[in-house]
Amino acid sequence: RNAGANERILARPGEGADLKKLAAAAAQAVKPFGAKAKASASQVSMYERMNAAIALMPRTADGKVYVSGSKAVTSVVGKLMGKDLATLFPVVIVIIIVILFLSFRTRRGVVLPFVNVIMATVMAMGVMGWTGQSISMATMVLPIILIAVGTAYAIHVLNRYYEDISALGDKK
């Protein structure tokens, strides 16, 4: 059905010449790009490689080139989540320390739950790295979720401990 479509487009006066020039420019731009790439395919996303190849192409026509599709969306969302994680992680740490201090008003009440949660987060991320599990969009938020849930659990456990200690102190 579309077998002759390319030939019909290329045969049109004006358009065919532009398309031939564009195809030749794309082939010329992509050819050296493969040899110059320093990072492997697993290190550089397809979206970044496409943008680099487009940047190398000479401008033969007016307009912009847009890269779209699921790979482009995944790449952009992954980059944004990485930036958000780099911003949110320190903020979450400070907020958790403040909440722990306001809850217990002691250094021990801050340090014990905080160290426990941080160790669990480091171990979870370490096990992911050890088993070869890559960090995806779903696992990128894992440290923040572990810290939030772990801190909530630690607050409950420590509150119960302090309640039991105060109940024992009243009996003496």
Side-chain angles (χ1 to χ4, degrees), residues 33-109:
F33 178 70
K36 289 182 183 177
K38 293 180 182 176
S40 69
S42 63
Q43 295 170 326
V44 179
S45 73
M46 178 60 81
Y47 178 73
E48 291 169 346
R49 290 186 295 192
M50 288 301 297
N51 281 333
I54 289 168
L56 291 174
M57 290 174 38
R59 304 286 181 230
T60 58
D62 293 339
K64 289 187 174 183
V65 177
Y66 294 98
V67 179
S68 64
S70 64
K71 294 288 185 185
V73 171
T74 302
S75 178
V76 170
V77 169
K79 284 181 187 177
L80 292 175
M81 286 185 72
K83 287 180 184 177
D84 288 346
L85 182 65
T87 303
L88 283 177
F89 192 74
V91 171
V92 166
I93 296 296
V94 169
I95 290 172
I96 295 297
I97 289 173
V98 168
I99 289 172
L100 288 171
F101 181 75
L102 293 175
S103 296
F104 299 113
R105 306 247 183 223
T106 64
R107 190 178 306 148
R108 178 177 41 191

